[in-house]
Amino acid sequence: MTTQELIAQIKEKKSFLCIGLDVDLNKIPPHLLKEEDPIFAFNKAIIDATHHLCVAYKPNTAFYEAYGIKGWQSLEKTIQYLNTNYPEIYTIADAKRGDIGNTSTMYAKAFLEDLAFDSVTVAPYMGKDSVEPFLAFKNKHTIMLALTSNEGAFDFQTKEVNGRELYKEVLETSKGWKNSENLMYVVGATKAEYFAEIRKIIPNSFLLVPGVGAQGGNLQDVCKYGLSENIGLLINSSRGIIYASKDESFAKNAALKAEELQQEMATILAK
């Protein structure tokens, strides 16, 4: 999916919501555990109930890898279901990969070719040759960690390097990489005050923003500093939507939570 296609979908749905499909078998409705594939059954119900309210889904691969080959099969079925039934939806493999060049190439093939995701998250610590292999795929995006919402983010990301915070150096440096127009960035919602500084460096790039909802991030604050001319935001909510309830109406309740965010986004876009 191209950036322009994503922007068009955002405008059509009046939403820049991304729903995280982080499936924990201990948290899904008990009646689904009787299914042949409980993870896929859960995802399918959530997707069918919420696809008109969001523009993207983001499975965190750890929640699938934890269940071995069956988990990977559930992930494959989920992405195939999305690509077949809702091809307009933007898909993100939240895998946080990043290794030496030939290894990164294989990671990129796994997620962008074999599983056919639209994008994959990567860690930039190993530098240019660990990220550029992901950027080589046409009409695919690489979403690079920039400033995360966890407590440990302050261990490195905000430390000064030559008088400038490290995350700013990462942003600035990445702009010079080959096919950098295919880059997006992860910026945590709990650090809304940083968005103004980030937009000075990457004014038009899309930002994937986790942390709204269960992690305490505020949508209004993020949009105040983070919206760009082309919208430029994908706001992710996972637990706050998919685990809205554990009864048999879980998908309907998830849709209600998603609609609350979508309506707030529609109001913001109308201003």
Side-chain angles (χ1 to χ4, degrees):
M1 181 181 293
T2 67
T3 302
Q4 291 306 314
E5 287 171 336
L6 175 59
I7 294 169
Q9 188 191 177
I10 290 171
K11 291 180 177 178
E12 179 181 341
K13 291 183 175 178
K14 298 180 175 60
S15 171
F16 42 99
L17 175 62
C18 172
I19 297 177
L21 299 174
D22 304 348
V23 186
D24 183 341
L25 289 179
N26 294 314
K27 294 181 179 179
I28 70 173
H31 72 277
L32 291 178
L33 298 176
K34 300 174 186 176
E35 298 281 343
E36 181 181 351
D37 187 340
I39 293 175
F40 175 66
F42 178 80
N43 282 346
K44 181 179 181 297
I46 293 290
I47 291 165
D48 287 342
T50 62
H51 66 91
H52 60 295
L53 300 167
C54 68
V55 297
Y57 288 101
K58 181 180 72 66
N60 185 318
T61 62
F63 287 84
Y64 300 84
E65 294 173 67
Y67 298 107
I69 187 63
K70 289 185 177 179
W72 275 107
Q73 289 169 344
S74 300
L75 178 63
E76 184 176 33
K77 282 194 278 188
T78 298
I79 188 63
Q80 286 179 349
Y81 185 75
L82 278 167
N83 287 341
T84 300
N85 294 279
Y86 306 108
E88 76 283 1
I89 293 282
Y90 188 76
T91 55
I92 302 167
D94 191 3
K96 300 180 181 71
R97 298 302 200 258
D99 208 323
I100 60 172
N102 59 344
T103 308
S104 280
T105 296
M106 293 303 165
Y107 279 140
K109 282 177 155 306
F111 292 107
L112 302 178
E113 280 190 355
D114 182 48
L115 289 173
F117 278 91
D118 291 310
S119 61
V120 59
T121 60
V122 304
Y125 193 78
M126 292 181 69
K128 176 174 71 172
D129 56 329
S130 71
V131 178
E132 283 187 339
F134 293 92
L135 294 172
F137 287 75
K138 187 177 180 180
N139 294 334
K140 303 285 186 175
H141 290 100
T142 301
I143 309 178
M144 198 171 77
L145 299 175
L147 187 62
T148 56
S149 56
N150 60 304
E151 182 181 349
F154 296 102
D155 289 346
F156 300 114
Q157 295 169 30
T158 57
K159 296 292 185 184
E160 288 198 1
V161 177
N162 298 323
R164 195 183 201 189
E165 294 98 326
L166 180 58
Y167 79 90
K168 292 182 180 178
E169 285 291 307
V170 170
L171 291 171
E172 192 66 58
T173 300
S174 70
K175 289 163 59 178
W177 294 345
K178 189 175 181 180
N179 298 319
S180 61
E181 66 274 10
N182 295 334
L183 274 174
M184 297 182 178
Y185 301 88
V186 177
V187 180
T190 53
K191 293 177 171 52
E193 66 274 18
Y194 290 91
F195 278 80
E197 290 297 307
I198 288 169
R199 280 303 186 201
K200 291 177 183 178
I201 303 171
I202 45 169
N204 297 312
S205 299
F206 261 84
L207 308 179
L208 173 62
V209 185
V212 168
Q215 295 182 46
N218 182 279
L219 178 61
Q220 296 290 336
D221 287 344
V222 169
C223 291
K224 179 180 178 181
Y225 299 107
L227 277 175
S228 68
E229 289 183 3
N230 63 355
I231 300 150
L233 292 175
L234 289 173
I235 303 293
N236 183 77
S237 180
S238 302
R239 289 170 287 170
I241 291 175
I242 66 173
Y243 297 132
S245 74
K246 291 186 70 171
D247 57 31
E248 294 197 2
S249 61
F250 72 97
K252 180 180 179 181
N253 290 322
L256 291 173
K257 287 293 184 182
E259 188 174 20
E260 288 178 12
L261 276 172
Q262 184 273 323
Q263 288 296 308
E264 191 175 355
M265 291 173 178
T267 300
I268 291 169
L269 291 175
K271 291 180 180 179

